[in-house]
Amino acid sequence: RYTVTMSIIVALGGFLMGFDASVISGVVGFIDTEFALTKIQLGWSVASLTLTATIAMMLAGPVSDRVGRRPVLMAAALLFAVSAAWSALAPDFISLVMARMLGGFGVGAALIIAPMYIAEIAPPEKRGRMVSFNQLNIVLGISIAFFSNYLILRLAQSGIVWADALGLADSPWRWMLGVETLPAVIYFLALFLVPESPRWLAMHGRREEALAVFARAADVETAEAYLAAVEHSIADADRTARVPIRELFAPAMRLVLTIGVSVAILQQITGINSVFFYAPMIFEQSGVGTDASFMQAVLVGIVNLVFTIAAMALIDRLGRRPLLGVGLAGIAGCMFLLSYGFGSASYTLAADVD
């Protein structure tokens, strides 16, 4: 129970990552009008976060090896909070992009360190399922971002006195971005309850502290066994000689490298991120109206969440390859259908429409 609780807290970083990446979907239409953006500027307002997230992903691992996993996660939580507040108050396009790029550092750090921490604290027999908490939280964050955007839009149009007093009617997009500050602050405070990773403690010679962390989740004998396995793993890593990069391209590694690179590329080239980042705009262009377009985005998030849970439940029963094949086939079919629908659509304006 203790280990699961700590893993759920840490996995909130995945929630914030998913929320931060997808909340912009409800914002782009408003900032396009308010800041009179060009198409390049509009695209950059979405993509700027991924640039700094990439940089953070390359730096987060080495930095966490030096200072610890928890401090990096706490820094990520602060970055999420500051980015959300700054984005909500941004007076111009440049300030908004800078705020989003700051949040990107938090996204990259959380994406790398949260699953790493969970893997290092989880018992070996439950590690796979517990690490999947983070992926589930990412998808949950995406879904909640869509729902939050829809709810704020409805409140902005409701005419409720307190909603108007808070400025929802004038600038709903600022509230869409700013609402993330609350879960980010909660995440930062909750991390004070989380101990440092036992593997990191063992790596730095703090054996008694590492044993104390394991002892909170198991009896002393089992905790000793867990720690011994960690120390053995660390010793093996220290003894492993560095090999030149050309070894990756040796005949024996060719198939493994091809599969690894192909799966990584396929995961990102599917085009689903375009749907997540521009969902309300895509649906609005189909002619359903602003309110309905935000509701359709919520449904996209719900479907994403449901099938993520289904995949987690089936992956050990059916295997990785069948699920990957079915998923990629479904993505390809849906993307072709989406492109065909927009390619063959005709847009007309009735004469009696104002």
Side-chain angles (χ1 to χ4, degrees):
R1 187 180 303 168
Y2 173 79
T3 308
V4 170
T5 301
M6 295 302 102
S7 298
I8 290 174
I9 291 175
V10 170
L12 287 174
F15 173 88
L16 289 169
M17 178 266 168
F19 190 100
D20 205 24
S22 297
V23 71
I24 193 69
S25 65
V27 172
V28 287
F30 292 101
I31 61 174
D32 185 21
T33 302
E34 180 155 339
F35 297 138
L37 303 182
T38 65
K39 297 303 180 184
I40 294 294
Q41 289 175 322
L42 186 65
W44 182 241
S45 68
V46 175
S48 57
L49 178 141
T50 60
L51 174 64
T52 49
T54 303
I55 297 172
M57 289 172 67
M58 293 188 290
L59 299 176
V63 170
S64 73
D65 284 343
R66 293 178 64 88
V67 304
R69 316 306 191 214
R70 191 177 74 162
V72 173
L73 289 172
M74 296 180 81
L78 286 175
L79 288 171
F80 280 125
V82 173
S83 171
W86 187 5
S87 298
L89 299 173
D92 51 44
F93 171 70
I94 298 298
S95 298
L96 177 62
V97 169
M98 290 176 64
R100 294 287 295 165
M101 293 180 73
L102 183 67
F105 286 109
V107 167
L111 191 60
I112 293 296
I113 304 304
M116 179 189 297
Y117 179 96
I118 295 171
E120 291 177 349
I121 198 175
E125 66 275 9
K126 298 181 180 179
R127 188 168 295 146
R129 185 171 298 178
M130 290 176 64
V131 170
S132 67
F133 286 167
N134 193 64
Q135 177 60 33
L136 180 62
N137 271 272
I138 292 174
V139 176
L140 185 62
I142 293 171
S143 302
I144 295 298
F146 289 144
F147 179 76
S148 173
N149 287 346
Y150 174 73
L151 181 62
I152 290 172
L153 181 67
R154 295 292 295 179
L155 287 173
Q157 299 171 343
S158 65
I160 299 174
V161 175
W162 63 264
D164 291 343
L166 291 174
L168 267 72
D170 297 329
S171 299
W173 67 269
R174 295 186 182 276
W175 281 93
M176 292 176 185
L177 293 171
V179 73
E180 186 189 353
T181 307
L182 179 59
V185 171
I186 292 174
Y187 183 46
F188 176 77
L189 296 176
L191 284 171
F192 282 101
L193 304 175
V194 174
E196 184 52 80
S197 158
R199 181 181 179 86
W200 186 87
L201 293 169
M203 286 170 57
H204 289 77
R206 296 160 64 175
R207 190 179 193 280
E208 294 303 318
E209 293 177 62
L211 182 61
V213 174
F214 279 131
R216 296 183 191 180
D219 58 75
V220 176
E221 184 178 346
T222 304
E224 285 280 6
Y226 287 158
L227 182 56
V230 168
E231 290 174 332
H232 181 71
S233 173
I234 294 171
D236 282 347
D238 291 339
R239 286 195 299 267
T240 302
R242 292 184 177 272
V243 296
I245 194 169
R246 66 174 179 272
E247 292 295 325
L248 284 175
F249 303 97
M253 292 294 295
R254 195 169 295 158
L255 178 61
V256 175
L257 184 64
T258 302
I259 293 173
V261 172
S262 298
V263 170
I265 292 174
L266 282 171
Q267 184 183 16
Q268 296 302 319
I269 208 171
T270 56
I272 189 60
N273 285 342
S274 299
V275 176
F276 284 153
F277 293 159
Y278 296 99
M281 184 176 289
I282 291 172
F283 285 117
E284 191 168 9
Q285 287 178 3
S286 71
V288 298
T290 301
D291 287 4
S293 68
F294 274 74
M295 188 63 224
Q296 292 294 326
V298 173
L299 296 179
V300 169
I302 292 174
V303 171
N304 187 32
L305 177 61
V306 168
F307 276 85
T308 298
I309 296 173
M312 290 172 59
L314 295 173
I315 191 167
D316 289 329
R317 186 180 308 172
L318 300 181
R320 278 64 167 164
R321 192 170 67 173
L323 286 178
L324 186 61
V326 171
L328 288 173
I331 289 170
C334 290
M335 285 301 178
F336 275 119
L337 184 61
L338 187 63
S339 62
Y340 172 78
F342 274 92
S344 61
S346 59
Y347 301 93
T348 59
L349 187 65
D352 57 344
V353 176
D354 293 334

